[in-house]
Amino acid sequence: MTRVLFVTSEVHPLVRTGGLADVSASLPEALGHIGYDVTILLPGYPAAMELTRDAGALHKARLWVDSYDVNLWQTRLPGTAVTLWIVDCAQLFRRPGNPYQNAEGQPWKDNARRFQLFAKVGAKIALGKAGLSWIPEVVHCNDWQSALLPVYLELSSERPSTVFTVHNLASQGLFPQDTFQNFGLPEKSWSYDLLDLKGQLAFIKGGLVFSDRITTVSPGYAEEIQTPEFGCGLEDLLYQRRHELTGILNGIDTRAWDPENDAHLPHHYGPEDIKSKRLCRFQLRQELGLEQTDAALFCFAGRMVKGKGLDWLSDVLPALLKRGCQLAMIGAGTASQASSSEERKFEVAMDQHARDWPGQLSVTIAYDEALVHRVIAGSDLLLMPSRFEPCGLNQLYGLRYGTIPIVNRVGGLRDTVFDVSNNSGEIANGFSFDIPDAAALLSTIERALKYYESRRTWRRIQENAMTGDYSWNRSARLYSDLYQNILAERQHAIWG
Ligand code: GLC
């Protein structure tokens, strides 16, 4: 059994600001099913600490790291058999609200220190310096919050193999150069080839430069991030490492997201018997105060930011509603307590629109997981005009629920949504556009509505969508191949 330490700053259902949390819960479990011994390492945020109390977690170790008193607790990720280790450092992690920002939406001032410490604790564990009997063979880090870990490992001649997964290249963990001085890293790691990004310390470069392999969450995004358009200033580095960079598509939790068994739905349906989807729609309209009509019901779920194409969506909104269509929007609900003013701006504007279009547009600003399930199940079409999308999970939820996605053809969206007009009837499962603007979005919406009017064709598209394989099985195998490859290489390097 290969031992993998899966290092992440979010995991569902304990702490979630985005898709990273979903992946961090499902991938380790799927790897467990194919014989891996996976332990998740997570900072001791309040929800995690509550779990350690309620679940009677085991005290594994007490460490002093850079004069911080750190305790390591072991429990299981709720609802799974996966081992979870929690890095308890009250001073740094036991704070209310968002893991990265305070109640005013400002990043915590000591974020660099918080995630440097997290990485250092991970390195101690991985190098067998935490007094534990379990030592990983592979350390799998995710996003900038754990990206310094491979840097610390590199200081040691005997280290486990490392994989770094990019869930979003735009989040880089940038801090002023003087932050670097306090981290005890060799001076030589401050160079443009290593941790310096235009005069700033970029945590993400730790993962990108120092890991044995880089992965990202779709083949499409893996290609795109080697270009200036999507590379966020890191395209040259990614191009140089292109032979060690792979895109592995995310799966979804097919137990939680199953229209035949979804505990959040008032009615259940599946690809063979889709009739009750209409009942879900009826109830959703009732719940959201939307009129009961024959017109199509669209939905949008997620953060209301420009990156998700909210400006294009605002532009096409009047045309969509004038046609009699309806739109149910559910925002992430993080903006009021945290997040950017940009997100706040779109939320406020959409909220105002909802008042102008009662019965046709519903806007909910809250993180309400159950409602997201009901919105996706009850809608006919799902809008996802993201400007960039490393993988995207909502389109996969939509596909599985027969809620046909309309997407910008980028990243993971282009790997999962196959346009009716470009593909054989066998696999066509949605609609996509190539030109990134509002006009293309609108004409794609209009094209989709034509298909929507033809019941038989629509049913066929829904069937294609609902019968696709969105489980983690395939992707977990690809990660497994990757782990085995790097393990074989390292053995070769040590003995060769
Ligand atoms: C980030 C990306 C999203 C991806 C998710 C999980 O949230 O924006 O596209 O699906 O991470 O990898």
Side-chain angles (χ1 to χ4, degrees):
M1 269 221 217
T2 305
R3 295 178 303 279
V4 180
L5 183 67
F6 190 90
V7 190
T8 180
S9 73
E10 301 184 17
V11 64
H12 181 85
L14 296 175
V15 49
R16 182 183 195 284
T17 69
L20 168 65
D22 301 338
V23 174
S24 299
S26 323
L27 175 57
E29 196 183 13
L31 287 166
H33 289 152
I34 56 171
Y36 279 81
D37 176 5
V38 186
T39 294
I40 300 175
L41 190 70
L42 179 80
Y45 304 122
M49 295 317 299
E50 251 167 58
L51 176 73
T52 58
R53 239 194 5 246
D54 300 348
L58 214 65
H59 186 254
K60 292 293 283 185
R62 184 170 187 190
L63 312 167
W64 289 94
V65 184
D66 295 349
S67 78
Y68 286 93
D69 185 4
V70 178
N71 285 287
L72 194 68
W73 298 92
Q74 173 174 314
T75 178
R76 294 205 182 281
L77 183 65
T80 74
V82 180
T83 306
L84 174 66
W85 283 355
I86 294 167
V87 178
D88 172 18
C89 177
Q91 237 176 309
L92 297 180
F93 299 123
R94 268 194 241 172
R95 299 174 186 178
N98 188 294
Y100 317 119
Q101 295 161 326
N102 65 19
E104 283 77 50
Q106 299 302 318
W108 296 112
K109 283 210 167 61
D110 53 354
N111 269 345
R113 169 57 80 199
R114 297 169 77 218
F115 294 104
Q116 176 251 356
L117 180 106
F118 180 51
K120 226 167 168 180
V121 172
K124 274 195 187 294
I125 294 171
L127 295 171
K129 292 182 180 161
L132 301 162
S133 54
W134 189 94
I135 297 171
E137 292 152 273
V138 176
V139 177
H140 187 157
C141 299
N142 295 274
D143 279 354
W144 71 266
Q145 298 88 343
S146 53
L148 285 192
L149 208 167
V151 187
Y152 284 110
L153 291 184
E154 196 60 40
L155 299 176
S156 188
S157 55
E158 290 269 334
R159 62 159 178 88
S161 301
T162 47
V163 176
F164 180 66
T165 297
V166 178
H167 297 265
N168 182 358
L169 197 64
S171 299
Q172 304 181 332
L174 296 178
F175 299 96
Q177 179 180 358
D178 56 13
T179 323
F180 172 81
Q181 312 300 343
N182 307 322
F183 283 180
L185 289 166
E187 274 306 314
K188 62 174 191 270
S189 46
W190 184 262
S191 84
Y192 194 65
D193 292 335
L194 302 172
L195 297 178
D196 165 14
L197 184 65
K198 299 188 181 126
Q200 287 191 288
L201 167 64
F203 269 49
I204 196 170
K205 287 186 82 181
L208 298 178
V209 174
F210 289 85
S211 304
D212 298 319
R213 286 287 195 289
I214 305 165
T215 74
T216 186
V217 288
S218 70
Y221 193 59
E223 265 176 38
E224 289 169 355
I225 56 179
Q226 299 174 43
T227 67
E229 198 187 341
F230 295 97
C232 305
L234 295 162
E235 56 275 10
D236 293 341
L237 166 59
L238 289 159
Y239 179 74
Q240 274 162 28
R241 295 212 66 193
R242 66 190 176 284
H243 301 300
E244 289 121 11
L245 165 66
T246 10
I248 301 178
L249 212 52
N250 286 334
I252 57 173
D253 180 342
T254 47
R255 269 175 315 176
W257 289 93
D258 176 5
E260 287 177 293
N261 291 296
D262 188 329
H264 301 303
L265 301 190
H267 302 277
H268 294 115
Y269 62 92
E272 271 96 57
D273 184 8
I274 200 172
K275 281 195 301 295
S276 300
K277 184 170 170 62
R278 262 194 298 171
L279 299 176
C280 290
R281 188 177 57 193
F282 182 85
Q283 294 237 343
L284 178 68
R285 281 177 165 147
Q286 209 158 42
E287 179 176 356
L288 298 179
L290 295 170
E291 282 158 28
Q292 302 290 350
T293 75
D294 288 335
L297 171 56
F298 290 75
C299 69
F300 170 91
R303 299 180 55 217
M304 296 197 189
V305 290
K306 211 168 152 189
K308 297 289 176 193
L310 251 288
D311 50 338
W312 299 335
L313 202 54
S314 313
D315 287 351
V316 307
L317 194 66
L320 186 78
L321 299 174
K322 274 183 198 139
R323 285 187 69 124
C325 295
Q326 297 174 324
L327 174 62
M329 298 185 77
I330 174 152
T334 48
S336 45
Q337 50 155 348
S339 207
S340 64
S341 54
E342 181 212 348
E343 189 165 354
R344 200 70 203 116
K345 182 185 89 185
F346 282 113
E347 287 185 353
V348 170
M350 284 300 172
D351 215 38
Q352 180 55 48
H353 288 313
R355 276 192 286 272
D356 298 341
W357 297 86
Q360 259 189 291
L361 172 63
S362 138
V363 176
T364 310
I365 312 280
Y367 177 61
D368 181 342
E369 202 181 320
L371 181 59
V372 174
H373 283 243
R374 291 196 295 276
V375 165
I376 292 183
S379 302
D380 299 300
L381 294 117
L382 176 134
L383 294 173
M384 210 161 158
S386 310
R387 278 195 162 69
F388 69 97
E389 196 60 77
C391 175
L393 295 169
N394 284 342
Q395 86 277 18
L396 301 177
Y397 301 147
L399 289 167
R400 191 149 154 87
Y401 282 61
T403 306
I404 302 305
I406 296 183
V407 304
N408 183 16
R409 199 176 303 151
V410 288
L413 298 174
R414 75 170 146 123
D415 291 324
T416 52
V417 177
F418 308 111
D419 193 285
V420 169
S421 61
N422 298 333
N423 288 284
S424 69
E426 293 306 311
I427 57 161
N429 62 8
F431 299 87
S432 57
F433 54 96
D434 272 326
I435 303 168
D437 63 19
L441 170 62
L442 184 59
S443 67
T444 311
I445 289 175
E446 277 161 358
R447 194 156 57 80
L449 286 172
K450 289 216 175 76
Y451 282 90
Y452 181 74
E453 278 153 21
S454 149
R455 254 184 208 292
R456 278 191 51 196
T457 323
W458 195 254
R459 183 78 190 81
R460 180 72 189 277
I461 302 170
Q462 282 181 312
E463 229 170 78
N464 286 349
M466 294 178 80
T467 51
D469 178 6
Y470 309 112
S471 71
W472 271 101
N473 301 343
R474 199 177 145 269
S475 305
R477 292 248 163 250
L478 295 173
Y479 279 105
S480 164
D481 292 348
L482 185 91
Y483 295 160
Q484 295 311 321
N485 284 343
I486 45 173
L487 285 171
E489 267 169 33
R490 280 196 75 74
Q491 284 179 6
H492 180 75
I494 292 165
W495 292 308

